[in-house]
Amino acid sequence: MSWSTPHAGWKSWWLVSFLGVLACARNVPEAVRGGEGAVVVLQGARLIDGNGGPPIEDATLVIEGETLRAVGPSAEVTVPSGAQVLDVKGRSVFPGLVADHSHLGVVEGTKSGSGHFTRENVLRQARQYEVYGVTTVMSLGFNTELFPKLQEELNAGAPKGADILGADRGLGVPDGAPPVGVGADQLYRPRTVEEARAAVRESASRRPALLKIWVDDFHHSVPVKMLPEVQAAIIDEAHRQGLRVAAHVYYLDDAKRLVREGVDVLAHGIRDRPVDDELVREMKARGTWYVPTLGLDETFYIYAEAPEWMRTPFFQHAVQPELAAQFADPAWRAKALGDAKALAQNRASVAMNLRNVKALHDAGVSIGFGTDSGANPLRIPGFAEHRELELMVHAGLTPLEALRHATRDAAALLKLDDRGTLVAGKRADFVLVEGNPAADVLDTRRIVGVWHRGQRVSGGVEDLTP
């Protein structure tokens, strides 16, 4: 993965970051970095276990193979004889992030659509997620027949990259949502109830983790929405086939109807109006999940505003050269900020999304974690997830609450009970950082190392530099 930046000070930023990572790497024996079969111990860490409680300030993690053999206060954990011990005092550890709503193989550089679901591109994106501490990714639609083979390889640990799950192609609307030019083998667009049920059965034969439907009209930019009877048929047939359904939504009224019809996941935040007590009651009674994707609408304007964090290596390493050049183009920035109506609409959507996730969190609705990263070039894999954590805190959640939704709860949404928290018996998927993310959520970006299936797979975002 290559990267570039439009900013003159990038060399000094990169040098400071690189030297810091290099110094950390020198303190990690080669066997500790991923020696297969060795028992590895991280000692003295500040442990954020993913359950939402206060951190353990001096904790020890014992890793054997892919599994956490023991986790707890250092005074209570016995270090096995002959183990490789890594002193990580002053650093923090939290579970690998779990992305419930992303897309693989849709974008390349500044382009999106068909032709990008290639082995090379999907593996590049999966590796980028992993290096940024996102160790499990749900690709929520647009997946081709190549997906199962890549899933098998990545989930077995070779090549390096996040574990991936998929929602097969997904089901949209003829002449409507989603307004993307993906291939015919990446999306169903059923016109009738019968076509919808047939598409669901065909998808079910490939055993996806979820199904995806697109129901809204993208700010009235497409002429038709999915017919209610088609929505209902998809949900009913999916449940008959043992599959759950996630829905792309925007409007409160659509969300209410979908929840009543039994949809399992609202895959975006509600952004037109405040959520109300009726929706809260229905979602809690039915166990419906909510994935807010807070950063989605922000991406339409935030890069044109050139915030300070765009000058950090943490951001720059996630950006492909063509996209970095676009961000540097004054004409592109002027155009992105030039439509006053669209800008106001997107800002209002972000504000409403923040308000609604706080209300649903406070009400006890089940909340997952996702960003729609990879759906278009502006939703940048890996970085988007850390920005989402920051926005959850802006919404009024504590850093620990945001991390709980992004780890334990996100794994629960996907019915993955082997990850998401750092407790004995779970998989050793975790991120080691400088600082204390429980106090400052931005410290999740100070990555020293990523462990995936018990192996140290990355020393930080500089691993994406060729």
Side-chain angles (χ1 to χ4, degrees), residues 443-457:
D443 282 350
T444 64
R445 305 179 185 189
R446 301 173 64 190
I447 296 174
V448 175
V450 177
W451 272 256
H452 190 188
R453 304 181 206 88
Q455 303 295 309
R456 188 173 188 265
V457 294

Side-chain angles (χ1 to χ4, degrees), residues 31 69 82 87 96 106 127 135 181 194 201 255 289 338 371 401 410 429 433 447 464:
R69 175 170 163 181
D87 183 352
V106 177
R127 175 59 174 161
T135 50
E194 291 74 20
R201 290 192 293 270
W289 284 90
T371 64
E401 289 169 339
D429 291 356
V433 297
I447 296 174
L464 292 177

